[in-house]
Amino acid sequence: MALLIVVGLTVLVLWALAERGLERVRLTGPFVMLACGVLVGVLAADDFNSRLDTAHAEKVVELILALLLFVDATEVRGGPFGGEARVISRLLFLAMPLSLIAAFVAGSLLLPALSGPVLLMLACIVIPTDFAPASPILRHAAIPVRIRHILNVESGYNDGIVSPIFVFAVSLVGKRAGLDGVEALLDGLWAFLFAAAAGIVVGGGAGFVLRGTRRIGFASDRSGRFAMVLVPLLSYVAANLVEANGFVAAFLAGIVYRVVRGGSRHADLDPAETAFADDVGQLVSMAMWFGFGAVAVLVFSNGLKPALILFGVLAVLVLRLVPVLLCLLRSSLRWRERIAVGVLGPRGTASIVFGFLAFDALPESDDLPPLYAMTVVVVLSIVLYGVVAPPLTARLLRSRRGG
């Protein structure tokens, strides 16, 4: 395992030292780390597999997601919904639940042997969008700024909204496995409320204290940057102490911290203050992509699973697009823009984290489907959204025909 860590850190250092040059030849960080992870997976698959399903690995993954959720919640510009409340609220609170339901139904038809909680985990793995594997989309000049902004804001929120559903599904195969549906829901509701309280207290308290210490000259230039990394970790740990959902706590802490720290719900944090957390978040994400590459080798070494592959393809191409089109009816977006929003939905870091956590939580007889579904949707996202989708979407939106 020590050798794997050395190799991973070496690859991270080399990527960090050559990031700009790699991007010039269209080699994104996730792609480079994925390729190196695949190589390590081929050379040391057995050792990596024995270390993957451990409590330590699970905690590392959870802390990474807590940090990313917090950062996403603080980075939305122009108010809580980025100035696009009507469109984004439809995407988050109508289209995404419908997509989760569609994924659950599709999974039950294609994978009838899986239990309800496992199917719910799969839905949570394959639906949240993330532009890490396809960041060129958000910089593509031919795609309108408004569309890119809507997609960016939506992807910043959806994993935070899906995470409590995922944690609830995981708990149904764990300590709540013996409870009936009503008891499990009540137990989960209490855990959510405690998590919300932890996130609001920690995030709001940190934002309030930082505003005060800056006003009286006690805070340094680094204080805000340090807080952006430490607050999500504190909120996650505090929630876990009361057996609550640490992901919900970190996500809500980010929302409240941004509002209290900025002085109003429409205030944005200074980019200089969020830069350190952005860098740390990107660094840990790159490590996650390296691990994903090694896991992909392990997954496909189990052979082709047509039902899981079809499930992943449907999730990426259909199960998001149809609900988005339905929920954006009579919206301010033109038809071609609605199609673009529905089509441009790569899966990335959130899917990887949820896939790893599901693998750790499930017994050996059920732990392959989450990893397999995760691998299919993320690999397809890299290929489809990193290469094919940007020019096709730009051509679609440039057309003057259609509404």
Side-chain angles (χ1 to χ4, degrees):
M1 188 61 182
L3 179 60
L4 294 178
I5 294 175
V6 170
V7 172
L9 290 174
T10 301
V11 172
L12 276 173
V13 170
L14 293 176
W15 164 77
L17 296 177
E19 180 185 10
R20 177 171 294 181
L22 291 171
E23 288 186 349
R24 286 174 181 169
V25 293
R26 298 188 177 182
L27 292 176
T28 63
F31 179 83
V32 173
M33 299 305 297
L34 169 64
C36 294
V38 168
L39 180 61
V40 169
V42 171
L43 299 177
D46 293 338
D47 191 18
F48 189 85
N49 188 36
S50 65
R51 301 290 182 174
L52 181 63
D53 190 8
T54 65
H56 294 301
E58 179 180 353
K59 287 303 177 186
V60 169
V61 170
E62 289 180 352
L63 288 173
I64 290 174
L65 181 58
L67 174 62
L68 296 177
L69 288 172
F70 180 88
V71 172
D72 285 344
T74 59
E75 285 192 330
V76 176
R77 305 293 175 187
F81 292 101
E84 293 284 355
R86 291 185 178 181
V87 172
I88 292 178
S89 60
R90 290 191 189 194
L91 292 174
L92 293 176
F93 304 120
L94 292 176
M96 190 172 64
L98 287 177
S99 297
L100 290 171
I101 293 171
F104 184 92
V105 173
S108 65
L109 295 175
L110 293 171
L111 307 162
L114 297 182
S115 66
V118 176
L119 290 173
L120 185 55
M121 286 186 211
L122 290 182
C124 293
I125 289 169
V126 301
I127 291 303
T129 60
D130 174 48
F131 282 85
S135 56
I137 292 175
L138 299 180
R139 300 193 298 266
H140 203 293
I143 299 177
V145 173
R146 186 188 181 194
I147 300 302
R148 285 181 276 158
H149 177 64
I150 288 172
L151 292 168
N152 194 33
V153 174
E154 181 206 0
S155 67
Y157 278 137
N158 60 19
D159 46 356
I161 296 174
V162 169
S163 62
I165 303 173
F166 174 80
V167 171
F168 175 71
V170 171
S171 70
L172 291 179
V173 297
K175 66 179 182 180
R176 298 192 186 105
L179 301 180
D180 62 32
V182 175
E183 290 176 324
L185 284 173
L186 290 176
D187 199 9
L189 178 61
W190 279 113
F192 178 88
L193 293 176
F194 281 127
I200 292 171
V201 169
V202 174
F208 178 79
V209 171
L210 183 58
R211 284 184 64 193
T213 55
R214 279 198 180 282
R215 188 178 300 114
I216 63 177
F218 276 26
S220 69
D221 292 338
R222 297 183 297 178
S223 298
R225 298 196 294 270
F226 287 160
M228 285 287 297
V229 175
L230 295 174
V231 171
L233 302 182
L234 176 58
S235 60
Y236 171 84
V237 173
N240 273 262
L241 285 177
V242 293
E243 298 186 353
N245 187 330
F247 300 145
V248 170
F251 181 65
L252 291 179
I255 295 175
V256 176
Y257 178 83
R258 178 177 60 81
V259 172
V260 175
R261 172 70 185 90
S264 75
R265 64 189 183 93
H266 294 290
D268 297 329
L269 297 182
D270 185 346
E273 190 170 310
T274 63
F276 179 56
D278 288 339
D279 291 341
V280 173
Q282 186 174 15
L283 190 61
V284 297
S285 295
M286 291 303 103
M288 185 71 66
W289 283 100
F290 177 79
F292 170 73
V295 169
V297 175
L298 298 175
V299 168
F300 288 126
S301 68
N302 287 277
L304 295 178
K305 308 291 182 183
L308 283 166
I309 292 175
L310 178 58
F311 175 71
V313 172
L314 288 175
V316 173
L317 299 181
V318 179
L319 301 182
R320 167 181 164 82
L321 174 61
V322 174
V324 166
L325 291 179
L326 289 174
C327 294
L328 290 182
L329 286 172
R330 301 177 68 111
S331 71
S332 59
L333 298 179
R334 297 182 299 114
W335 264 107
R336 292 179 183 273
E337 293 173 330
R338 298 172 199 172
I339 294 173
V341 171
V343 167
L344 295 177
R347 276 56 161 186
T349 306
S351 295
I352 295 173
V353 172
F354 290 155
F356 284 170
L357 293 177
F359 174 79
D360 286 334
L362 292 171
E364 188 173 348
S365 58
D366 291 328
D367 62 4
L368 179 61
L371 282 186
Y372 212 106
M374 169 197 80
T375 304
V376 171
V377 297
V378 174
V379 170
L380 183 59
S381 294
I382 292 174
V383 175
L384 181 62
Y385 296 104
V387 179
V388 179
L392 290 181
T393 306
R395 183 177 300 178
L396 170 72
L397 293 171
R398 277 199 302 264
S399 175
R400 296 181 180 178
R401 299 175 60 187

